[in-house]
Amino acid sequence: MPDFSHIQLYPLASADIHALLAFELENRAYFETWVAARTPSYYSLDAIAAIIEQAQRERQQDISHQYLAKLDGQIVGRVNLTAVTRPYFNKAQLGYRVGEKFGGRGFATRIVALLLEEAFGKLDLWRLETTIQPQNLGSIAVMQRNGFNQYGRAEKAMLFQQEWSDLLYFERRNEKRDI
Protein backbone atom coordinates (compact mmCIF):
# COMPACT_ATOMS: atom_id res chain seq x y z
CA MET A 1 0.00 0.00 0.00
CA PRO A 2 1.46 3.39 -0.99
CA ASP A 3 2.17 6.05 1.63
CA PHE A 4 -0.52 8.60 0.83
CA SER A 5 0.66 11.01 3.55
CA HIS A 6 3.16 12.45 1.07
CA ILE A 7 0.64 13.26 -1.68
CA GLN A 8 -0.01 16.97 -1.98
CA LEU A 9 -2.01 19.20 -4.31
CA TYR A 10 -0.36 22.13 -6.05
CA PRO A 11 -1.96 24.75 -8.30
CA LEU A 12 -0.66 24.54 -11.86
CA ALA A 13 2.56 26.55 -12.11
CA SER A 14 4.97 27.45 -14.90
CA ALA A 15 7.69 25.39 -13.21
CA ASP A 16 5.61 22.26 -13.96
CA ILE A 17 5.53 22.69 -17.74
CA HIS A 18 7.99 19.92 -18.65
CA ALA A 19 6.73 17.44 -16.06
CA LEU A 20 3.10 18.08 -17.01
CA LEU A 21 3.77 17.56 -20.71
CA ALA A 22 5.62 14.32 -19.92
CA PHE A 23 2.72 13.15 -17.72
CA GLU A 24 0.15 13.91 -20.43
CA LEU A 25 2.21 12.19 -23.14
CA GLU A 26 2.89 9.13 -21.00
CA ASN A 27 -0.81 8.70 -20.20
CA ARG A 28 -2.36 9.89 -23.46
CA ALA A 29 -3.73 6.54 -24.69
CA TYR A 30 -4.90 5.58 -21.21
CA PHE A 31 -6.78 8.85 -20.67
CA GLU A 32 -8.42 8.57 -24.07
CA THR A 33 -10.19 5.40 -22.96
CA TRP A 34 -12.30 7.61 -20.63
CA VAL A 35 -12.25 11.13 -22.06
CA ALA A 36 -12.35 12.63 -25.53
CA ALA A 37 -9.02 12.67 -27.34
CA ARG A 38 -7.20 15.97 -27.31
CA THR A 39 -5.91 17.45 -30.53
CA PRO A 40 -2.27 16.66 -31.39
CA SER A 41 -1.40 20.34 -30.87
CA TYR A 42 -2.22 19.93 -27.15
CA TYR A 43 0.94 17.88 -26.69
CA SER A 44 3.52 20.65 -26.97
CA LEU A 45 5.36 22.91 -24.54
CA ASP A 46 3.62 25.99 -25.97
CA ALA A 47 0.17 24.46 -25.48
CA ILE A 48 0.94 23.32 -21.93
CA ALA A 49 2.34 26.78 -21.11
CA ALA A 50 -0.89 28.35 -22.39
CA ILE A 51 -2.97 25.89 -20.34
CA ILE A 52 -1.03 26.75 -17.19
CA GLU A 53 -1.41 30.49 -17.83
CA GLN A 54 -5.14 30.10 -18.41
CA ALA A 55 -5.48 28.00 -15.23
CA GLN A 56 -3.70 30.72 -13.25
CA ARG A 57 -6.02 33.43 -14.64
CA GLU A 58 -9.12 31.35 -13.94
CA ARG A 59 -7.92 30.66 -10.41
CA GLN A 60 -7.51 34.40 -9.76
CA GLN A 61 -11.01 34.99 -11.15
CA ASP A 62 -12.43 32.08 -9.09
CA ILE A 63 -13.74 30.42 -12.28
CA SER A 64 -11.81 27.18 -11.85
CA HIS A 65 -9.16 25.71 -9.61
CA GLN A 66 -6.79 23.16 -11.15
CA TYR A 67 -4.23 21.15 -9.25
CA LEU A 68 -1.45 18.68 -9.82
CA ALA A 69 -1.30 15.82 -7.35
CA LYS A 70 2.31 15.01 -6.58
CA LEU A 71 3.99 12.27 -4.61
CA ASP A 72 7.55 13.16 -3.65
CA GLY A 73 7.66 15.68 -6.51
CA GLN A 74 6.30 13.30 -9.16
CA ILE A 75 2.95 14.04 -10.82
CA VAL A 76 0.54 11.19 -10.13
CA GLY A 77 -2.63 12.95 -11.28
CA ARG A 78 -4.60 16.07 -11.97
CA VAL A 79 -7.73 17.22 -10.22
CA ASN A 80 -9.85 20.26 -10.86
CA LEU A 81 -12.88 22.24 -9.89
CA THR A 82 -14.47 23.91 -12.91
CA ALA A 83 -17.65 25.87 -13.55
CA VAL A 84 -17.37 27.53 -10.14
CA THR A 85 -20.74 29.20 -9.60
CA ARG A 86 -21.07 31.94 -6.99
CA PRO A 87 -23.02 33.48 -5.29
CA TYR A 88 -26.10 31.59 -4.06
CA PHE A 89 -24.88 28.18 -5.21
CA ASN A 90 -21.17 28.13 -4.29
CA LYS A 91 -20.70 24.96 -6.29
CA ALA A 92 -18.23 23.50 -8.78
CA GLN A 93 -17.80 20.56 -11.13
CA LEU A 94 -15.15 18.06 -10.03
CA GLY A 95 -12.92 16.23 -12.48
CA TYR A 96 -9.78 14.18 -12.05
CA ARG A 97 -7.35 11.88 -13.81
CA VAL A 98 -4.67 9.66 -12.37
CA GLY A 99 -1.73 8.29 -14.31
CA GLU A 100 -2.11 4.72 -15.51
CA LYS A 101 0.65 3.30 -13.31
CA PHE A 102 -1.08 4.79 -10.25
CA GLY A 103 -4.55 3.45 -11.05
CA GLY A 104 -6.30 0.91 -8.86
CA ARG A 105 -4.06 1.56 -5.86
CA GLY A 106 -6.04 4.18 -3.93
CA PHE A 107 -4.35 7.27 -5.33
CA ALA A 108 -7.54 8.65 -6.89
CA THR A 109 -9.47 8.24 -3.65
CA ARG A 110 -6.79 10.13 -1.73
CA ILE A 111 -6.47 12.87 -4.34
CA VAL A 112 -10.23 13.50 -4.36
CA ALA A 113 -10.20 13.55 -0.53
CA LEU A 114 -7.50 16.22 -0.59
CA LEU A 115 -9.52 18.23 -3.09
CA LEU A 116 -12.58 18.01 -0.83
CA GLU A 117 -10.54 19.51 2.01
CA GLU A 118 -9.54 22.41 -0.26
CA ALA A 119 -13.01 22.87 -1.75
CA PHE A 120 -14.93 22.79 1.51
CA GLY A 121 -12.19 24.58 3.47
CA LYS A 122 -10.21 27.36 1.84
CA LEU A 123 -12.52 27.75 -1.18
CA ASP A 124 -15.70 27.61 0.96
CA LEU A 125 -17.74 25.76 -1.65
CA TRP A 126 -21.04 24.26 -0.57
CA ARG A 127 -21.52 21.61 -3.22
CA LEU A 128 -19.49 19.58 -5.70
CA GLU A 129 -20.94 17.70 -8.64
CA THR A 130 -19.46 15.24 -11.13
CA THR A 131 -20.60 13.02 -13.97
CA ILE A 132 -19.34 9.52 -14.67
CA GLN A 133 -20.00 6.98 -17.39
CA PRO A 134 -21.69 3.90 -15.83
CA GLN A 135 -18.97 1.58 -17.14
CA ASN A 136 -16.30 3.53 -15.21
CA LEU A 137 -16.64 1.46 -12.06
CA GLY A 138 -13.34 2.73 -10.64
CA SER A 139 -14.47 6.36 -10.67
CA ILE A 140 -17.85 5.44 -9.22
CA ALA A 141 -16.06 3.71 -6.34
CA VAL A 142 -13.76 6.73 -5.83
CA MET A 143 -16.77 9.03 -5.52
CA GLN A 144 -18.64 6.69 -3.18
CA ARG A 145 -15.58 6.31 -0.93
CA ASN A 146 -15.44 10.11 -0.73
CA GLY A 147 -19.08 10.49 0.32
CA PHE A 148 -20.62 11.37 -3.03
CA ASN A 149 -24.17 10.22 -3.73
CA GLN A 150 -25.69 9.47 -7.10
CA TYR A 151 -28.66 11.72 -7.74
CA GLY A 152 -29.49 11.05 -11.36
CA ARG A 153 -28.87 9.36 -14.66
CA ALA A 154 -29.10 10.72 -18.18
CA GLU A 155 -29.60 8.16 -20.92
CA LYS A 156 -27.59 8.47 -24.12
CA ALA A 157 -26.22 11.79 -22.91
CA MET A 158 -22.79 11.68 -24.50
CA LEU A 159 -21.42 10.49 -27.82
CA PHE A 160 -18.05 8.96 -26.96
CA GLN A 161 -15.91 6.88 -29.30
CA GLN A 162 -18.78 6.58 -31.79
CA GLU A 163 -21.23 5.22 -29.20
CA TRP A 164 -23.85 6.83 -27.04
CA SER A 165 -23.14 6.62 -23.34
CA ASP A 166 -25.30 7.28 -20.33
CA LEU A 167 -24.01 9.58 -17.61
CA LEU A 168 -24.42 9.20 -13.87
CA TYR A 169 -24.66 12.37 -11.78
CA PHE A 170 -23.04 12.51 -8.35
CA GLU A 171 -23.04 15.19 -5.65
CA ARG A 172 -21.37 15.92 -2.36
CA ARG A 173 -22.43 18.72 -0.07
CA ASN A 174 -20.31 20.49 2.50
CA GLU A 175 -21.94 19.09 5.64
CA LYS A 176 -20.51 21.94 7.72
CA ARG A 177 -22.74 24.28 5.69
CA ASP A 178 -26.02 22.44 6.30
CA ILE A 179 -28.46 24.50 8.31
Side-chain angles (χ1 to χ4, degrees), residues 4-5 11 24 43 53 60 64 67 71-72 81-82 86 88 95 100 106 124 126 129 135 144 160 165 168:
F4 296 124
S5 66
E24 293 291 347
Y43 299 96
E53 288 173 20
Q60 290 172 343
S64 75
Y67 302 89
L71 176 63
D72 299 327
L81 298 168
T82 59
R86 302 189 197 258
Y88 309 113
E100 183 174 20
D124 196 28
W126 301 345
E129 300 172 351
Q135 60 271 33
Q144 291 172 336
F160 180 68
S165 176
L168 305 177

Side-chain angles (χ1 to χ4, degrees), residues 125-136:
L125 291 167
W126 301 345
R127 176 186 174 91
L128 299 182
E129 300 172 351
T130 193
T131 56
I132 304 171
Q133 296 174 32
Q135 60 271 33
N136 192 342

Side-chain angles (χ1 to χ4, degrees), residues 70-176:
K70 296 181 182 181
L71 176 63
D72 299 327
Q74 179 183 13
I75 298 173
V76 298
R78 293 179 64 177
V79 64
N80 56 60
L81 298 168
T82 59
V84 175
T85 306
R86 302 189 197 258
Y88 309 113
F89 298 99
N90 289 321
K91 68 177 183 172
Q93 186 76 20
L94 180 147
Y96 78 92
R97 57 178 65 194
V98 173
E100 183 174 20
K101 66 184 176 185
F102 301 103
R105 297 173 43 207
F107 283 97
T109 298
R110 179 64 182 145
I111 291 166
V112 169
L114 289 171
L115 185 66
L116 287 171
E117 291 174 16
E118 180 84 358
F120 293 155
K122 180 180 169 189
L123 297 176
D124 196 28
L125 291 167
W126 301 345
R127 176 186 174 91
L128 299 182
E129 300 172 351
T130 193
T131 56
I132 304 171
Q133 296 174 32
Q135 60 271 33
N136 192 342
L137 300 177
S139 283
I140 292 169
V142 167
M143 291 306 128
Q144 291 172 336
R145 284 193 291 270
N146 277 289
F148 281 75
N149 297 304
Q150 183 180 337
Y151 70 93
R153 179 185 192 115
E155 294 181 4
K156 295 183 179 180
M158 181 175 117
L159 185 61
F160 180 68
Q161 297 179 346
Q162 309 302 329
E163 291 185 25
W164 285 104
S165 176
D166 292 358
L167 288 175
L168 305 177
Y169 293 85
F170 287 83
E171 67 179 349
R172 167 90 193 260
R173 292 186 311 276
N174 183 348
E175 301 304 328
K176 295 175 189 171

Side-chain angles (χ1 to χ4, degrees), residues 1-65:
M1 180 75 104
D3 180 5
F4 296 124
S5 66
H6 294 278
I7 295 177
Q8 293 184 308
L9 299 183
Y10 299 91
L12 271 66
S14 298
D16 295 310
I17 187 170
H18 292 281
L20 182 54
L21 178 58
F23 173 79
E24 293 291 347
L25 285 168
E26 179 181 336
N27 293 287
R28 182 178 184 175
Y30 175 66
F31 291 154
E32 288 177 3
T33 62
W34 298 111
V35 297
R38 298 178 189 242
T39 63
S41 63
Y42 175 87
Y43 299 96
S44 71
L45 286 176
D46 288 341
I48 297 296
I51 288 163
I52 291 171
E53 288 173 20
Q54 181 178 350
Q56 291 170 336
R57 280 192 307 276
E58 290 179 357
R59 180 179 192 77
Q60 290 172 343
Q61 298 167 351
D62 194 31
I63 295 170
S64 75
H65 299 270

